[in-house]
Amino acid sequence: MTDSDNLHRLDKAISLAPVTEGDTSVLRGETTPEYWNMVGPFGGSTAATLLRAVLMQPDVHGEPVSLTVNYAGPLGEGEFEISVKAERTNRSNQHWTITQTQGDQIMTTASAVTAVRKDTWTDVEAEPPSAAAPEEIESADPFPGINWVGSYDQRFVEGAIPNESSGEQDTSRSTMWVRDNPPRPADFYSVAAKSDTLYPRAFLRKGTYLPAGTVTITIHFLADAAELDSLGDDFVLATGYARRFGRSYYDQTSEIWSRDGKLLATAHQMVYFKI
Amino acid sequence: MTDSDNLHRLDKAISLAPVTEGDTSVLRGETTPEYWNMVGPFGGSTAATLLRAVLMQPDVHGEPVSLTVNYAGPLGEGEFEISVKAERTNRSNQHWTITQTQGDQIMTTASAVTAVRKDTWTDVEAEPPSAAAPEEIESADPFPGINWVGSYDQRFVEGAIPNESSGEQDTSRSTMWVRDNPPRPADFYSVAAKSDTLYPRAFLRKGTYLPAGTVTITIHFLADAAELDSLGDDFVLATGYARRFGRSYYDQTSEIWSRDGKLLATAHQMVYFKI
């Protein structure tokens, strides 16, 4: 048994081997079946993988504060390369750019800010949606043919995935408890991935599947490493909604809450759709 | 009188001269006093300038859907250069990366997605905050020493800039009508700039000025060019709030609404602060 057999499936998906180091570092990874989406890998695991490329750099300064990922084209199965560069390092923060390629094709571009965080005045002003405990809610069924959904235990509080009898809805809001399957301790990677787990809001509004795909996601990390570490492998509460649909795109905002009511992260997407 | 004298101050601020064209195009611009902030230019005019660098490219495909700007360091007064590259062009969208430099220092990194938008099902699900008409509200005073504020007519509906008697507040929400000063027809540049006009939310919560600066902003364009064009130079309604403050950073979301209740754009920031 190798080390790799002991790794959680998420850690396997975000595993990267350094290829070259320098002003721009290059790392190599490989797609894994457990996070496969319809075409290409799940956007959340790609985001986590790019974040890992940054946090593996020996000169990384601080913890992630933001990550923007632009999905330029769907990765094929197999190996990919990631180039990562610290564009500027300041006293309290660091600005990164990241590019993911397969062969000579650019598949994903990204940028991240890491920062040294200090104690300041603190307040969680937003409020989590009300929700029964995850233990009182049944797990959602897996999506046939969409592997990555099986890598999560999703328990819907509201706005469950539509079925044949759902019909159109007035609201795009879904709220669900979500945990890695199998469970895995929380860190920036798992939160980044979970911030993309809510299914496309257009499905809910229209009560049906339709072509939809994230073109860009921006994740803001509101919790620090110590706070994420204290969560263990517990469920987090993901809630999300869209503000406006039209002319081939809509926005989607997701919030990731801890069970004790702390907002851990937000994610803001623009999603392509067709209907 | 030259053409430049006829230009609106925003158009002057975002003026760029092509330096070299090719796989990566380089353009040159210059800071202007009318959009100067305390240190460096107003983040909104920088965002508009970087967007202009993209939209000036002869091979630009479609209209802007998203723009993420990472403020790595404050520009000094004077000339700057912008490098812009189409990383990937797909049938329906295009992925851009942008870098702003002064001398050999990277000041700003950015990415943008442009896209060909088509007619689809459409709905504005979110609702604008209620607000009296701008004609019924007085313009806010200029900020002493902060030039860019004078380039806008800001009329607060709620959450006005704190003064000595304000004290701490429970909510970080501000809503204001905002128009270019002098008035200017709406387009993607003016909307991008306006999406950063709401002052730092920490000022409102703490009832005082304190060190605060945006490190990254992501603007999502929900209206297309024709819709922006139809607005003329009317006021738009900007509303914004923060969800969580702590450990040197907080988030800020802004929404930009038309007078007739259409959501034009959103902006999501991470803001450094100290208190």
Side-chain angles (χ1 to χ4, degrees):
Chain A
M1 194 155 105
T2 67
D3 275 1
S4 155
D5 294 321
N6 284 319
L7 282 180
H8 186 276
R9 58 174 71 182
L10 181 63
D11 295 293
K12 222 179 284 180
I14 67 175
S15 284
L16 294 170
V19 176
T20 60
E21 284 175 28
D23 192 33
T24 299
S25 295
V26 178
L27 305 97
R28 184 170 296 137
E30 196 173 345
T31 64
T32 63
E34 292 86 354
Y35 290 91
W36 201 252
N37 202 349
M38 279 214 300
V39 183
F42 165 50
S45 61
T46 295
T49 305
L50 301 189
L51 183 62
R52 180 130 206 271
V54 171
L55 299 185
M56 279 176 71
Q57 298 309 303
D59 58 342
V60 70
H61 192 47
E63 299 181 358
V65 161
S66 72
L67 173 69
T68 292
V69 180
N70 304 297
Y71 301 96
L75 283 177
E77 276 181 64
E79 289 196 343
F80 54 80
E81 289 197 339
I82 296 175
S83 302
V84 54
K85 188 176 179 194
E87 299 285 356
R88 181 159 167 161
T89 302
N90 296 313
R91 198 159 44 88
S92 78
N93 67 32
Q94 195 171 33
H95 289 258
W96 297 88
T97 55
I98 310 116
T99 308
Q100 184 178 36
T101 54
Q102 255 178 343
D104 57 2
Q105 273 242 294
I106 287 175
M107 297 304 189
T108 322
T109 69
S111 62
V113 178
T114 57
V116 178
R117 303 184 79 147
K118 296 190 175 168
D119 284 338
T120 55
W121 170 68
T122 181
D123 186 57
V124 181
E125 182 179 319
E127 296 202 357
S130 63
E135 291 75 13
E136 294 169 31
I137 301 172
E138 275 190 39
S139 301
D141 291 332
F143 255 54
I146 307 212
N147 285 10
W148 73 263
V149 177
S151 293
Y152 292 98
D153 182 347
Q154 301 188 342
R155 303 183 181 199
F156 281 93
V157 175
E158 59 181 332
I161 297 160
N163 58 35
E164 282 158 23
S165 64
S166 300
E168 298 199 4
Q169 304 293 323
D170 291 337
T171 167
S172 63
R173 170 80 72 169
S174 284
T175 301
M176 67 175 185
W177 293 104
V178 57
R179 180 157 71 165
D180 290 284
N181 178 28
R184 175 189 180 282
D187 59 13
F188 290 110
Y189 308 124
S190 70
V191 168
K194 285 194 184 98
S195 78
D196 190 35
T197 48
L198 282 166
Y199 69 89
R201 303 295 85 205
F203 292 9
L204 180 58
R205 285 297 308 274
K206 302 305 287 178
T208 187
Y209 301 103
L210 50 88
T214 303
V215 295
T216 181
I217 188 170
T218 292
I219 303 167
H220 290 160
F221 298 98
L222 300 170
D224 65 10
E227 184 175 343
L228 296 184
D229 196 50
S230 75
L231 300 174
D233 62 8
D234 197 9
F235 282 92
V236 295
L237 188 66
T239 189
Y241 55 93
R243 293 175 178 85
R244 180 175 178 172
F245 301 82
R247 301 275 297 153
S248 315
Y249 286 88
Y250 65 87
D251 66 306
Q252 177 168 334
T253 284
S254 302
E255 298 176 351
I256 306 295
W257 293 85
S258 67
R259 196 193 281 245
D260 67 351
K262 299 274 169 48
L263 182 59
L264 306 173
T266 58
H268 307 286
Q269 314 190 5
M270 285 294 277
V271 183
Y272 169 83
F273 79 109
K274 211 161 94 175
I275 190 165
Chain B
M1 193 156 103
T2 67
D3 275 0
S4 157
D5 295 320
N6 284 320
L7 283 181
H8 185 276
R9 58 174 72 183
L10 181 63
D11 295 293
K12 221 180 284 180
I14 67 175
S15 284
L16 295 170
V19 177
T20 61
E21 284 175 28
D23 192 33
T24 299
S25 295
V26 177
L27 305 98
R28 185 170 295 136
E30 196 172 346
T31 64
T32 62
E34 293 85 356
Y35 290 92
W36 201 252
N37 202 351
M38 278 214 299
V39 183
F42 164 49
S45 60
T46 296
T49 306
L50 301 188
L51 183 62
R52 181 130 206 270
V54 171
L55 299 185
M56 278 176 71
Q57 298 309 302
D59 58 341
V60 70
H61 193 45
E63 299 181 359
V65 161
S66 71
L67 173 69
T68 291
V69 181
N70 304 297
Y71 301 96
L75 282 178
E77 277 182 63
E79 289 196 343
F80 55 79
E81 290 197 338
I82 296 175
S83 303
V84 53
K85 188 177 180 194
E87 299 285 357
R88 182 159 166 160
T89 302
N90 297 313
R91 197 158 44 88
S92 77
N93 67 32
Q94 195 171 33
H95 289 257
W96 297 88
T97 55
I98 309 115
T99 307
Q100 185 179 34
T101 54
Q102 256 179 343
D104 57 2
Q105 272 241 296
I106 287 175
M107 298 303 188
T108 322
T109 69
S111 61
V113 179
T114 58
V116 178
R117 302 183 80 147
K118 297 191 174 168
D119 284 337
T120 54
W121 170 69
T122 181
D123 186 58
V124 181
E125 182 179 320
E127 297 202 356
S130 63
E135 291 75 12
E136 295 169 31
I137 301 172
E138 274 190 38
S139 300
D141 291 332
F143 256 54
I146 307 211
N147 286 10
W148 73 262
V149 177
S151 293
Y152 292 97
D153 182 349
Q154 302 187 343
R155 304 185 180 197
F156 281 94
V157 175
E158 58 182 331
I161 298 160
N163 58 34
E164 283 158 23
S165 64
S166 300
E168 299 198 2
Q169 304 293 324
D170 290 338
T171 167
S172 63
R173 170 80 71 168
S174 285
T175 301
M176 67 176 184
W177 293 104
V178 58
R179 180 157 70 164
D180 290 284
N181 178 28
R184 175 188 180 281
D187 59 11
F188 290 111
Y189 308 125
S190 70
V191 168
K194 286 195 184 98
S195 77
D196 191 35
T197 49
L198 282 166
Y199 69 90
R201 304 295 85 207
F203 291 9
L204 181 57
R205 286 295 311 272
K206 302 305 287 178
T208 187
Y209 301 102
L210 49 88
T214 302
V215 296
T216 181
I217 187 169
T218 292
I219 303 167
H220 289 161
F221 298 99
L222 299 170
D224 65 10
E227 184 175 344
L228 296 184
D229 196 48
S230 75
L231 300 174
D233 63 8
D234 196 10
F235 282 92
V236 295
L237 188 66
T239 188
Y241 55 93
R243 294 175 178 84
R244 181 176 178 172
F245 301 82
R247 301 275 296 152
S248 315
Y249 285 88
Y250 65 87
D251 65 307
Q252 177 167 334
T253 284
S254 302
E255 297 175 352
I256 305 295
W257 292 85
S258 67
R259 196 193 280 245
D260 67 350
K262 299 274 169 47
L263 182 59
L264 306 173
T266 58
H268 307 286
Q269 315 189 4
M270 285 293 277
V271 184
Y272 169 82
F273 78 109
K274 211 161 94 175
I275 191 165

